[in-house]
Amino acid sequence: MVAGGELPGDRGGGGGSGPGIVIAALSLAVMPFLSAAQRRAGRELGSASAVADSQQTLLCTYLSAVLLVGLALNATLGWSWADPVAALVIAAIAVKEGRDAWQGKGCCAPGAHSPAPAAQDADACGCAPGCTCCS
């Protein structure tokens, strides 16, 4: 986190991370398919937790993209500040997601947006009509 306090004009910092770029790129390529497979399996099994996990996997895709941009800018343009900025973006996203989860703001969480749907109104994963977390 100390590195996150660097300013764009600061000199120093490490060089590019080839292995980090490769891992982030692979993660970015694989995670969307894994998320879709988890969501599909969760819907088929009627598991709200599996569907919610697929949403978290999709979030990991976005985090991989931010990481890849930061690492790539550092490696290609020598912008040593891009990597710490990417880390701060990831931290901000993590804090927001954690706060939302703590407050029960997931659409599949009971009582998150409305009272629990009646059994006949809920879909296979337990979401109310109009909920998009399962789609």
Side-chain angles (χ1 to χ4, degrees):
M1 277 310 268
V2 173
E6 293 178 2
L7 298 174
D10 289 349
R11 296 288 181 227
S17 173
I21 291 171
V22 169
I23 291 170
L26 287 173
S27 175
L28 190 58
V30 170
M31 288 297 203
F33 298 106
L34 178 60
S35 175
Q38 285 177 313
R39 188 171 38 257
R40 185 172 42 257
R43 284 194 311 239
E44 290 172 4
L45 295 171
S47 172
S49 64
V51 172
D53 190 51
S54 76
Q55 292 296 104
Q56 289 303 311
T57 303
L58 190 60
L59 175 64
C60 288
T61 303
Y62 304 144
L63 296 177
S64 294
V66 171
L67 173 65
L68 183 59
V69 167
L71 290 174
L73 288 174
N74 186 13
T76 59
L77 300 177
W79 293 357
S80 62
W81 55 268
D83 194 24
V85 168
L88 290 174
V89 170
I90 290 170
I93 292 170
V95 167
K96 180 202 174 297
E97 288 297 314
R99 189 178 57 238
D100 287 352
W102 185 267
Q103 296 171 349
K105 291 186 178 176
C107 73
C108 288
H113 296 292
S114 61
Q120 70 274 12
D121 293 337
D123 65 6
C125 72
C127 293
C131 177
T132 59
C133 70
C134 297
S135 56

